[in-house]
Amino acid sequence: MSSFNLIVQGKALAMDVLAELAVEAGSPAIEPLGKTAWRFLDAKADTRETLAQYCRELECDWAFVPAGITLEHFGLWMTDMDSTLIQIECIDEIAGLLGIKDKVSAITERSMAGELDFTQSLRERVALLAGLKESTLKTVYDKKVKLTPGARELIAACQAKGVKIGLISGGFTHFTNRLKEELGLDYAIANTLEVVHGRLTGQVKGPVIDAQAKADWLVKLRNELGLRQDQVIATGDGANDLQMLAAAGVGIAFHAKPVVRYQAHVALTYSGLDGVINLFAD
């Protein structure tokens, strides 16, 4: 019978709080993983509901992880881009240069929450960008794109362990391709904005990268790499990531919408992306 470790992370906790968590988890020992992360050894999985409530009150992330599973067990990390690998929603920032950020971001918010059909909502938002100079995309990248805290650390950890990294987005190739080049990622998949005479037409070229496409690409790359499902990690924040998270061995909702947090295998709400490293630390 497999044993599990409980990973708690996200903020500094006092020793008495850690001791109480150990008692609640039925754990005989605690290993520090950093200043704001701990591993409770041989925790009892039947304490999940109690621990979930306790950690919510503490504003900490928690997860049960099979003992002995480290990052080198995995061969592929697939991640969403907007509001996951980077801190912004690119289409909202592009719209901001047209003075319509509020209008577009309201549609984005509803789409990520699962209230709107993703493909339809993407086409609706892209149509609002018609006429914008293509050079504007470079301005958004240079001035607005910032990596999520912990992203560089997780990328470095994956590269050190030989884990391939796939960036997949319902956003745009202008951003994913530059991130792939600058960060040394292995794959980048996204939508291509149609450009004529240096200006956006308001159309997307080819099929839209939607929820099903994200899951299909994960399976395609997994098979090409000769990996099992349990050797794949996926991270995302929106409803269009749900199928991809479900197709992975470990699907992680990262600072995600409620519908995603409730369905993912693990939720990281208070930690950075380096929280993934703590889940599978040596």
Side-chain angles (χ1 to χ4, degrees), residues 80-96 101 104-113 118 122 125 129 140-141 144-146 148 169-172 175 214 236-241 254-257:
D80 175 47
M81 178 176 66
D82 297 294
S83 298
T84 303
L85 189 70
I86 63 174
Q87 298 182 49
I88 65 167
E89 292 285 338
C90 290
I91 194 167
D92 295 355
E93 299 301 331
I94 298 169
K101 182 175 180 178
V104 170
S105 63
I107 300 172
T108 301
E109 182 75 14
R110 292 186 63 199
S111 178
M112 293 302 98
F118 178 80
L122 179 69
R125 286 174 287 163
L129 307 180
V140 172
Y141 187 94
K144 298 291 186 179
V145 171
K146 293 182 180 180
T148 297
S169 175
F172 310 117
F175 300 94
K214 286 188 171 189
D237 72 300
N240 65 320
D241 295 311
F254 182 75
H255 293 220
K257 306 302 180 188

Side-chain angles (χ1 to χ4, degrees), residues 35-254:
K35 293 182 179 179
T36 59
W38 299 266
R39 177 159 52 203
F40 295 77
L41 302 180
D42 197 23
K44 308 307 179 199
D46 59 4
T47 63
R48 286 174 187 270
E49 290 187 15
T50 301
L51 286 165
Q53 180 60 34
Y54 198 165
C55 289
R56 278 194 295 269
E57 292 172 359
L58 291 171
E59 296 185 339
C60 284
D61 294 320
W62 65 277
F64 279 93
V65 178
I69 299 295
T70 62
L71 193 59
E72 63 188 0
H73 167 83
F74 300 94
L76 175 65
W77 167 38
M78 292 291 289
T79 184
D80 175 47
M81 178 176 66
D82 297 294
S83 298
T84 303
L85 189 70
I86 63 174
Q87 298 182 49
I88 65 167
E89 292 285 338
C90 290
I91 194 167
D92 295 355
E93 299 301 331
I94 298 169
L97 298 178
L98 289 170
I100 55 172
K101 182 175 180 178
D102 288 349
K103 182 176 182 179
V104 170
S105 63
I107 300 172
T108 301
E109 182 75 14
R110 292 186 63 199
S111 178
M112 293 302 98
E115 298 174 8
L116 299 174
D117 175 77
F118 178 80
T119 298
Q120 180 182 342
S121 71
L122 179 69
R123 293 191 186 281
E124 180 182 345
R125 286 174 287 163
V126 170
L128 295 171
L129 307 180
L132 193 67
K133 289 183 179 179
E134 182 184 16
S135 59
T136 300
L137 302 180
K138 183 178 185 301
T139 301
V140 172
Y141 187 94
D142 291 341
K143 294 188 175 182
K144 298 291 186 179
V145 171
K146 293 182 180 180
L147 292 180
T148 297
R152 288 191 185 278
E153 291 82 352
L154 179 54
I155 290 167
C158 286
Q159 291 171 337
K161 298 293 187 180
V163 180
K164 301 293 185 183
I165 304 171
L167 177 61
I168 188 160
S169 175
F172 310 117
T173 53
H174 181 89
F175 300 94
T176 55
N177 289 347
R178 287 191 65 175
L179 286 166
K180 176 179 181 288
E181 180 179 353
E182 291 186 11
L183 299 173
L185 310 182
D186 298 286
Y187 312 100
I189 304 108
N191 299 300
T192 302
L193 291 168
E194 184 179 66
V195 178
V196 175
H197 303 308
R199 292 184 180 271
L200 306 188
T201 66
Q203 301 290 323
V204 174
K205 293 174 65 175
V208 167
I209 300 298
D210 59 6
Q212 186 61 55
K214 286 188 171 189
D216 290 345
W217 270 102
L218 181 149
V219 173
K220 179 177 185 294
L221 294 176
R222 183 191 78 198
N223 290 341
E224 287 180 0
L225 293 167
L227 302 172
R228 303 183 304 273
Q229 181 177 6
D230 66 279
Q231 293 177 291
V232 182
I233 301 170
T235 51
D237 72 300
N240 65 320
D241 295 311
L242 278 170
Q243 289 175 242
M244 177 176 73
L245 299 185
V250 181
I252 301 173
F254 182 75

